[in-house]
Every structure is written in C-alpha cells, then in structure tokens.
Amino acid sequence: MSKIIVITGTRKGIGKELSEYYLNKDNIVIGCSRGEGSIAHKNYYHYELDVSDEKAVVSMIRNVKKEFKRIDVLLNNAGIASMNHIMLTPYKTVKDIMGTNFFGSFLFMREVSKVMSKNKYGRIVNFATVAAPLRLEGEAIYAASKAAIVNLTEVSARELAGFNITVNAIGPTPVPTDLIKNVPKEKLDALLQMQAINRFGEFRDIVNTVEFFVDEKSDFITGQVLYLGGVHY
C-alpha cells in the first residue's frame, strides 16, 4: 500500500530528490517550499509557504488530513545555513536560521503527530548535522539550531512512543547542494578530514538512512540520531 509522505523543503536539493525517490516507489508525497513547486508528478502535491509560519503549516496539514485521512511519514528536511563568526552574526540571521531549522521542524512535528496519533502509526525523521558534534567554527548558530533538533527528537520520541510514532534524526555530512555552496573549500576539506570516511555525502547515503528509520520493521527504533561518515559525539 502506498504511503502518505510529507516532506519539507522540496523545491531543490535533498528534499526534491527524496520526493522523487518516494514518488517513483508509488507513494503520495506532499511537499512545501517558499517558492513554487519544481516537481511534476500526478502523486505530488505542493504547498507554497514558510515552514516557520504557524498558520500556514496548520492549514497545510489540516488540508492533507482532510484529503488523505492519514499521514504515514514526515521528513523534516527544510533547512538553511550561514557561516558567520559569532561577533559578526546579525540578529536577523539568527532568527531566520532558528525559524526555518527549529521552529519549522517543531511546527510540522506538532501538527503531523496529531494526525498520526489518530491512526496510531507514524514515522518522523528530522535532519540534524555533523556541524554540531564537530563544533565547526563559523557554524555556531546553524549548529545550535540543529543541536536543538537533536533534543527535540530525543524528548518527543518519548512523548509520542505511546501512539506508535517513532522519531529519529539523521546527521548528514556535507552533501554538494546549495546549502554548502558558499562554504570555502578549505573549510569543507578540513571538515572531511574530521570524518572517519573522508568524502562528501551522497543522496544514496541519505536515503539509505531515511529508509531504515521509516521502515515498518523499525518500530523499536526511536529517539536515535545517526551521524554519517563516522562522526560521533
């Protein structure tokens, strides 16, 4: 049976690739981004919104519930980053990063879990980052927003376990997307050397982990954060 999958940040990058991957497996994907959708598929539905806009998120998930009656999987992929020394970080940058990365993930978790709880089933996967455990210079705010995601994942996993909803997180290494296009090459090279496996992440690495977490047989796995590339605390 096809799954009803909500994925945030689907206009480009990992979010778009995840959407196309699950659409090709005959699932229904509901995506969103700040701009127009970039996926043309009969089973893809797009919402144009800011993930930190509470009213817009509530409206989207209510519409999804009305249309499909259930949500099986939530992939909280939407995220933004900015490299700034702490003394040179504008307050607006902090608000924007926390708004998208943390508040957006929280809002989708809150609203989607309400739908999942009615059906006593759900798989939620949040996106963390290796920037947090590696304590990367210039990434203080980005890493802080993702560290908050880790705690949100671990605590909400306990709160939602009784509804047969698992909550896990993936911590990708750098993947060649727009998210890292402005990061200096020397910074990326230094980061790769801190990993046990010294290469960039690829989409297959991401989807392999996501598939593991959302598999129906993974019902005993929750509150976990899987960092890729051999990175750990």
Side-chain angles (χ1 to χ4, degrees):
M1 185 175 67
S2 64
K3 293 179 179 179
I4 310 300
I5 304 174
V6 172
I7 306 176
T8 65
T10 55
R11 191 170 66 86
K12 57 186 178 180
I14 295 299
K16 183 175 182 178
E17 292 192 79
L18 284 169
S19 298
E20 293 172 338
Y21 174 84
Y22 283 108
L23 287 167
N24 288 334
K25 294 174 76 70
D26 297 322
N27 296 290
I28 293 172
V29 174
I30 303 96
C32 65
S33 68
R34 287 196 180 109
E36 294 181 358
S38 60
I39 300 171
H41 193 286
K42 63 183 177 66
N43 288 332
Y44 178 75
Y45 301 81
H46 189 80
Y47 286 79
E48 191 172 332
L49 53 75
D50 186 324
V51 296
S52 65
D53 183 334
E54 182 178 19
K55 289 183 179 179
V57 174
V58 169
S59 176
M60 172 183 166
I61 300 306
R62 283 179 178 170
N63 288 339
V64 174
K65 179 184 178 183
K66 183 177 180 181
E67 177 74 20
F68 301 105
K69 311 305 182 203
R70 73 180 203 274
I71 297 173
D72 301 304
V73 176
L74 167 63
L75 305 182
N76 257 326
N77 163 78
I80 58 174
S82 178
M83 285 197 71
N84 298 87
H85 189 284
I86 191 66
M87 292 192 292
L88 301 174
T89 303
Y91 181 55
K92 183 180 184 305
T93 297
V94 179
K95 290 198 296 182
D96 289 345
I97 291 175
M98 292 301 294
T100 297
N101 297 358
F102 181 70
F103 298 145
S105 295
F106 158 72
L107 286 172
F108 271 89
M109 284 184 65
R110 187 187 72 185
E111 295 307 308
V112 169
S113 65
K114 292 176 185 177
V115 180
M116 290 176 168
S117 67
K118 299 296 183 183
N119 296 300
K120 294 288 185 176
Y121 179 85
R123 298 282 185 268
I124 297 174
V125 181
N126 295 322
F127 276 66
T129 177
V130 298
L134 292 180
R135 310 291 191 260
L136 296 180
E137 293 181 33
E139 298 279 14
I141 305 307
Y142 176 66
S145 72
K146 295 297 190 173
I149 289 293
V150 169
N151 275 275
L152 181 67
T153 297
E154 293 171 344
V155 176
S156 60
R158 290 179 173 273
E159 296 180 351
L160 298 176
F163 299 101
N164 196 29
I165 300 171
T166 65
V167 187
N168 295 288
I170 176 175
T173 57
V175 178
T177 65
D178 284 353
L179 191 68
I180 65 168
K181 67 180 181 181
N182 294 320
V183 180
K185 182 180 183 301
E186 60 272 17
K187 290 279 187 182
L188 290 174
D189 289 342
L191 189 158
L192 294 180
Q193 292 306 309
M194 299 171 78
Q195 300 172 184
I197 302 172
N198 310 133
R199 67 165 172 84
F200 283 107
E202 299 174 6
F203 175 68
R204 63 184 177 90
D205 304 315
I206 305 291
V207 77
N208 178 56
T209 308
V210 171
E211 281 277 71
F212 170 67
F213 282 142
V214 305
D215 193 293
E216 291 184 6
K217 296 188 293 291
S218 296
D219 60 344
F220 202 50
I221 300 165
T222 196
Q224 304 303 306
V225 184
L226 206 165
Y227 292 104
L228 302 182
V231 172
H232 57 83
Y233 276 106

Coordinates of all heavy atoms in Angstrom, one line a residue, residues 81 97 119 121 128 150 167 187 195 206 224 231:
A81 N 21.4 27.6 6.2 CA 22.7 27.8 6.9 C 23.4 29.1 6.5 O 23.1 29.7 5.5 CB 23.6 26.6 6.6
I97 N 17.6 31.4 10.8 CA 18.1 30.1 10.9 C 17.2 29.3 11.9 O 16.8 28.2 11.6 CB 19.6 30.0 11.2 CG1 20.4 30.5 10.1 CG2 20.0 28.6 11.6 CD1 21.9 30.7 10.4
N119 N -4.3 7.6 14.0 CA -4.2 6.3 13.3 C -3.2 5.3 14.0 O -2.9 4.2 13.6 CB -3.7 6.4 11.9 CG -4.8 7.2 11.0 OD1 -5.9 6.7 10.9 ND2 -4.4 8.3 10.5
Y121 N 0.0 5.4 14.2 CA 1.2 5.0 13.4 C 1.8 6.2 12.9 O 1.1 7.1 12.4 CB 0.7 4.0 12.3 CG 1.9 3.6 11.4 CD1 2.7 2.6 11.8 CD2 2.3 4.4 10.3 CE1 3.8 2.2 11.0 CE2 3.4 4.0 9.5 CZ 4.2 2.9 9.9 OH 5.3 2.6 9.1
A128 N 19.5 16.6 11.4 CA 20.5 17.3 12.3 C 21.7 17.6 11.4 O 21.5 17.7 10.2 CB 20.9 16.3 13.4
V150 N 18.2 17.9 17.8 CA 18.6 16.6 18.5 C 17.8 16.4 19.8 O 17.2 15.3 20.0 CB 20.1 16.5 18.8 CG1 20.4 15.3 19.7 CG2 20.8 16.4 17.4
V167 N 10.4 8.7 16.3 CA 11.0 10.0 16.0 C 12.6 9.8 16.0 O 13.1 9.5 17.1 CB 10.6 11.1 17.0 CG1 11.2 12.4 16.5 CG2 9.1 11.2 17.2
K187 N 37.5 25.1 4.3 CA 36.6 24.7 5.4 C 36.0 23.3 5.2 O 36.0 22.5 6.1 CB 35.5 25.7 5.6 CG 35.9 27.0 6.1 CD 36.1 27.0 7.6 CE 36.4 28.4 8.2 NZ 36.7 28.4 9.6
Q195 N 36.1 13.4 9.5 CA 35.3 12.2 9.4 C 36.1 11.0 9.3 O 37.3 11.0 8.8 CB 34.4 12.3 8.2 CG 33.5 13.5 8.1 CD 32.7 13.7 6.8 OE1 32.0 14.6 6.6 NE2 32.9 12.7 5.9
I206 N 21.9 9.4 2.3 CA 20.8 10.0 3.0 C 19.6 9.0 2.9 O 19.0 8.7 3.9 CB 20.4 11.3 2.3 CG1 21.6 12.3 2.3 CG2 19.2 11.9 3.1 CD1 22.0 12.8 3.7
Q224 N 16.8 8.2 18.2 CA 18.1 8.0 17.8 C 18.6 9.0 16.8 O 17.8 9.5 16.0 CB 18.3 6.6 17.2 CG 17.9 5.4 18.1 CD 18.6 5.4 19.4 OE1 19.8 5.4 19.4 NE2 17.9 5.4 20.5
V231 N 31.1 10.1 12.1 CA 31.2 11.2 13.1 C 30.3 10.8 14.3 O 29.2 10.3 14.1 CB 30.6 12.5 12.4 CG1 30.5 13.6 13.5 CG2 31.5 12.9 11.3

